[in-house]
């Protein structure tokens, strides 16, 4: 009986390990570098793991949302990969920086020029996107992953409320609330930081000047005090000697 219980526990443990290490948990995903605020711009990373033991990932196609089109999408160059940005004409133009935009990014395709993503590794594909919609909480990007053995995995299943995660879920970007002006101003923040640093340096310099002056004055007074003290001691010694000399008693 004891032996059978031990065997059962071992089997359950092994099953748990198999489930936790299942490739289904390693799917294509998208995450922002920092925050992806509504109405602003963001750099997002499409993370692609290799789920096969004997094949490399050689191609990634990411389809951009059509319900909330993005007018701008600039991928970062990656060694060993060619990238192509495809745009499509919009049925309804969108306004961006006061101008009417009639085209938006529909797809970005990365194709490996070398070995691609090898087994046991993953690759990030960064893209600067914007302007992000102000009337949405998330954006869905459907992705297609192609392997060197010609196998194709379609990460296109949309998560439904109240249901379990699908086997091949589409990457979803969660949007955060917009800032006060609705945009992220990196250069303005940098300039503000620089101005604050300069102000702090000027304040420190102004504070340091009186401190140095006071320190110098204190040192001079200290030296003068020592000299006066030494003169007083010398005078006292000389006066004592005069009183004890024979000529002074007559």
């Amino acid at each position: 009986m004891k032996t059978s219980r031990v065997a059962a526990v071992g089997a359950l443990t092994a099953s748990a390990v198999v489930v936790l290490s299942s490739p289904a948990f390693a799917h294509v995903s998208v995450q922002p570098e920092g925050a992806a605020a509504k109405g602003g711009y963001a750099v997002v990373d499409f993370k692609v793991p290799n789920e096969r033991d004997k094949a490399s990932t050689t191609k990634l196609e990411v389809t951009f949302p059509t319900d909330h089109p993005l007018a701008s999408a600039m991928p970062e160059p990656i060694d060993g990969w060619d990238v192509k940005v495809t745009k499509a004409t919009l049925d309804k133009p969108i306004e961006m920086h006061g101008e009417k935009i009639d085209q938006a990014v529909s797809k970005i395709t990365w194709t490996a020029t070398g070995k691609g993503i090898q087994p046991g590794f993953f690759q990030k594909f960064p893209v600067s996107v914007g302007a992000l919609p102000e009337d949405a909480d998330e954006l869905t990007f459907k992705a297609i992953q192609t392997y060197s053995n010609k196998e194709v995995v379609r990460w296109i299943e949309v998560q439904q409320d109240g249901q379990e995660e699908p086997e091949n879920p589409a990457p979803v970007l969660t949007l955060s609330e917009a800032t006060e002006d609705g945009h992220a101003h990196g250069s303005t923040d940098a300039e503000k930081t620089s101005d604050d640093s300069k102000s702090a340096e000027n304040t420190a310099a102004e504070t340091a000047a009186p401190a140095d002056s006071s320190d110098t004055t204190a040192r001079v007074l200290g030296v003068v005090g020592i000299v006066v003290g030494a003169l007083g001691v010398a005078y006292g010694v000389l006066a004592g000697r005069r009183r004890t000399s024979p000529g002074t008693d007559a």
Side-chain angles (χ1 to χ4, degrees), residues 213-232:
S213 178
S214 300
D215 186 54
T216 302
T217 302
R219 290 179 180 177
V220 172
L221 292 176
V223 172
V224 172
I226 293 173
V227 172
V228 172
L231 291 174

Side-chain angles (χ1 to χ4, degrees), residues 48-88:
V48 182
N50 192 330
E51 298 182 294
R52 301 296 178 261
D53 296 329
K54 297 181 180 180
S56 298
T57 296
T58 57
K59 188 177 181 180
L60 174 68
E61 299 172 78
V62 175
T63 301
F64 278 56
T66 56
D67 53 345
H68 296 288
L70 300 176
S72 175
M74 295 183 292
E76 179 178 323
I78 302 176
D79 291 339
W81 294 82
D82 281 337
V83 59
K84 178 182 178 182
V85 179
T86 304
K87 289 189 174 184

